[in-house]
Amino acid sequence: VLFSARGLYSDWILGQIKDPDIRRSKAGFSDFTFSGNYNFSRSQLTVFAYRSQDRFRLADYVNYAYYNNGASINYSRNFSTALRGEFSFTAARYAFSTEDSQDPNLAYKHAYALDDYRLTADVTWNLNAINVLKLGLSGNLFGLDRGNVLADGTQSIRIPVYLGKETGMENTIYASEDLEIFPWLKMNAGVRLTLY
């Protein structure tokens, strides 16, 4: 099991600058990582998680924040000396938000997010010493939430804009073969079908 965490506190540096807007600003960063691995008699399991977050505030009227989240689970198993399978699930999200009130009449806030989810399965089959067959499939789900641009504060006359959401899915199946025809000649042939 591995765990790490980091943080950056730089507000005190900004407080040393003579410019009043910079002196009233704040900035920071933090992240953490977790990883765990366990070996069974014929299989292995690995889990992973990550998060990072950044923020910046310029005086009292501009705020930025964004973060990355990620996680995965991987499982592999030796079904026999010739057959091995690897299976994984991963998820990731990037998100960003901003608030701008430099001009109170046009002050706004906006946030959006991008998601990625993946599921894969791969099998390697050693048919004999010179012939290896590989099979696999995967599914990817993508999501984009472009968010809404909204008025921020009672004085703002900004008209709301709803940017909407989009999703996409990509599915793939493949098969390939590694074949040693002669000691000096090897062939790799395969087919892949992808549907988006």
Side-chain angles (χ1 to χ4, degrees):
V1 174
L2 298 174
F3 176 80
S4 67
R6 299 181 299 174
L8 171 67
Y9 178 75
S10 56
D11 296 351
W12 65 275
I13 297 176
L14 300 175
Q16 309 303 312
I17 298 175
K18 293 181 180 179
D19 185 298
D21 285 342
I22 301 297
R23 192 165 52 245
R24 296 195 330 268
S25 300
K26 293 183 178 293
F29 163 82
S30 64
D31 73 357
F32 84 87
T33 304
F34 169 83
S35 178
N37 181 68
Y38 190 83
N39 292 325
F40 300 91
S41 61
R42 298 174 61 183
S43 59
Q44 298 82 39
L45 177 66
T46 302
V47 295
F48 174 81
Y50 173 80
R51 177 178 172 88
S52 69
Q53 185 170 4
D54 295 76
R55 60 174 178 81
F56 178 74
R57 189 184 80 191
L58 177 60
D60 299 324
Y61 42 78
V62 178
N63 278 298
Y64 297 104
Y66 53 95
Y67 67 85
N68 287 289
N69 287 341
S72 67
I73 300 174
N74 297 285
Y75 177 75
S76 57
R77 180 173 179 82
N78 295 318
F79 296 100
S80 68
T81 56
L83 186 63
R84 177 177 175 83
E86 297 185 5
F87 312 92
S88 67
F89 172 74
T90 62
R93 164 170 273 209
Y94 170 78
F96 179 88
S97 66
T98 180
E99 298 177 8
D100 190 331
S101 59
Q102 295 181 74
D103 182 347
N105 294 321
L106 298 175
Y108 73 93
K109 55 186 176 181
H110 176 220
Y112 66 84
L114 179 64
D115 297 315
D116 187 316
Y117 302 96
R118 299 172 184 251
L119 183 64
T120 62
D122 298 289
V123 174
T124 302
W125 189 6
N126 295 294
L127 299 173
N128 51 50
I130 63 170
N131 197 354
V132 178
L133 182 65
K134 296 179 181 179
L135 307 169
L137 55 88
S138 66
N140 299 355
L141 176 64
F142 309 101
L144 173 61
D145 182 353
R146 292 179 290 178
N148 304 316
V149 181
L150 303 173
D152 190 18
T154 57
Q155 298 181 45
S156 179
I157 59 172
R158 184 177 288 271
I159 298 173
V161 178
Y162 303 100
L163 300 175
K165 299 180 181 181
E166 295 182 31
T167 58
M169 179 171 283
E170 181 180 32
N171 298 306
T172 301
I173 185 169
Y174 78 90
S176 69
E177 185 177 16
D178 295 329
L179 178 62
E180 182 180 316
I181 302 172
F182 300 107
W184 49 270
L185 179 61
K186 295 183 180 180
M187 179 190 72
N188 173 268
V191 62
R192 177 182 294 267
L193 176 63
T194 299
L195 177 66
Y196 181 79

